[in-house]
Amino acid sequence: MLLVWSATLLLLGFAQGAEVCYENLGCFTDDRPWSDTAERPIARLPWDPEKIGTRFLLFTAKNPDNFQEISTNKDILLSSNYEGGNMTRFIIHGFIDQGEENWLLDMCRTMLLVEDINCICVDWKRGGRTTYTQAANNIRVVGAEVAYMIELFQTHYKQKPEMFHVIGHSLGAHCAGEVGRRVPNLGRVTGLDPAEPYFQGCPELVRLDPSDAKFVDTIHTDSLPMIPYLGFGMAQAVGHLDFYPNGGKQMPGCDKNILSQIVDIDGIWEGTRDFAACNHLRSYKFYNDTILNPEGFLGYPCSSDEVFDEIGRCFPCPTGTCPFMGHHADKFKVPSGQEKLKFYLNTGEAKPFARYRYMLTITISGDRTVTGFIKVALYGSNGNSRQYDVHSGLLSPGKTYEVYIDTEIDVGEVTKMKFLWNNKILNPLLPKFGATKMVVQRGKDRKLFEFCGEERVRENVLQTLNPCTP
Amino acid sequence: MKAVALLAMCMLAVALAAPAQEKGLILNLDIGELCVNSLQCKSSCCHRKNGLSLARCAPQAKENQECSPKTLYGTYYHCTCESGLKCDSDITIGGSITNTNFGFCVDPNDKQAAD
């Protein structure tokens, strides 16, 4: 009887903790925490590597336009353009996506404009075009394959693990985490809006976390909960640096009407992708922009987006300077032992996404209090900005208004400012307003510029303010 | 077939536009949304790159940027200027017909100061 019981228990245990093993990659179980938890209710074993069909598409300085397909085969590897002395960056796509998608290839091409690297797009589309639960487990095999590839590079080219950087979008971010778990001392992992379902709140073994690499940075662009807002990305901070552009929840330019969203400037396909997951896909678009323009993506340390945006604090950059979001985030020295540092910034609604933050303090003078709005433009050594709406409501003479603006260009050293007011109502008394003093503070280096003015202007007329003369 | 699809889409657009007040499909369009006339845009500039491309709402031209004076066409190859600025261009008959009276935005107050 005892024998029967123990046999049954053994079988049950077997049924619960099924395991598959693949050559070179090791074994994969569906034990806890991989399944059977509140976050991961459905158990799935990762597919066979054959079935997933992972491909590695290599770009180097020798072939910046077209990729070379490489594999774990030693001959193919050694005869490729792979440069063992250079840094290697992998890009891994997410659910339903494919490695030959424009954004991955473009990202490689853009990176090759600024640096001499090996850029490898990892294509696992057959493993990603299935049920979500299956795809969420297939990334374990894909991660193991990338780790095996890194191992091969290390043996054939004597490359150090610090020379590898894995960039992953959505499910690919957790896949990059898996790579980091398997490769000790991996240089860097970047998570572009890491996927939320089946990962948020899970143990560190399952998801991306700061222990996966020496430096882990993430960009959160779709962090609203999956239910009911259909936010695909996770809100949880999972890196050393976590960036929340535009608060991380709702991206500007993603609330267009259906027709305008689908009929996109970048084509119907890109538009359709945005229609399905605009916020979620913004993460790699931002990253792509940061490669050429790090200065426009300065992250301000802050506790939450309300504090950053609605109250407008967390400004200017602390003396240790702010990190750049995206590609150049690794220039920031993370204080030892610190992780999950949160940074906030605002971006544009379309390409180019870069923005530069300033704080303005405006003191106005006038005849009497009226309702209206104020616009201000900045002029500097690099050109001039647009007019920004800085206040709307009561315009009271003598009052000082404090606002933050995110300009689309870095005006450089601010040389003058222009002030304009309007209220769209004809007033026969022709009231006049003017700015007596404007102080601009630049976010990146806390530098102050002061401007003074004496004249007052009628509505819709620009008043120029010049630097104050002591 | 294409025409029918387009018509259906337009009908849908009209139907959806009716209740939406803040963010319309027809009026009050944000930057980047498709438009046929500048009146539809919050930024009051419906911009197209060339005669064949689709028009989308775009921000108005800032100072020193290329611009068009206000025209009756409703769409622009270069947007009109922001408030307080004037589009300094030579208006020709040919340019008026082809909607290509381009100039640069200038601040009329600066000019007086220079004179």
Side-chain angles (χ1 to χ4, degrees), chain B residues 10-26:
Chain B
C10 289
M11 302 263 274
L12 185 79
V14 171
L16 284 172
Q21 284 295 311
E22 267 185 27
K23 214 178 64 57
L25 279 170
I26 297 293

Side-chain angles (χ1 to χ4, degrees), chain A residues 58 60 74 110 121 146 195 240 261 290 335 355 358 378 381 401 429:
Chain A
L58 170 74
T60 65
K74 195 182 169 188
T110 318
C121 300
V146 176
H240 292 106
Q261 189 74 267
T290 65
R355 288 294 183 269
Y358 295 88
L378 267 60
S381 48
Y401 302 96
L429 297 168

Side-chain angles (χ1 to χ4, degrees), chain A residues 134-148:
Chain A
Q134 184 62 56
N137 278 293
N138 286 347
I139 62 162
R140 296 161 65 189
V141 162
V142 180
E145 284 186 284
V146 176
Y148 180 58

Side-chain angles (χ1 to χ4, degrees), chain B residues 31-96:
Chain B
I31 284 165
E33 296 195 290
L34 294 167
C35 54
V36 286
N37 195 292
S38 292
L39 291 172
Q40 296 175 280
C41 302
K42 275 185 196 163
S43 64
S44 49
C45 175
C46 185
H47 171 259
R48 62 168 84 230
K49 278 199 187 105
N50 55 55
L52 292 172
S53 66
L54 292 167
R56 293 165 197 280
C57 295
Q60 287 185 304
K62 59 184 184 179
E63 193 170 341
N64 304 322
Q65 211 176 17
E66 207 165 356
C67 58
S68 310
K70 246 196 160 94
T71 66
L72 296 172
Y73 282 94
T75 60
Y76 297 94
Y77 299 117
H78 291 289
C79 282
T80 47
C81 297
E82 290 183 312
S83 4
L85 299 168
K86 192 177 157 280
C87 190
D88 193 23
S89 67
D90 295 323
I91 293 173
T92 60
I93 295 167
S96 304

Side-chain angles (χ1 to χ4, degrees), chain A residues 7 13 45 204:
Chain A
L45 282 169
E204 296 187 348

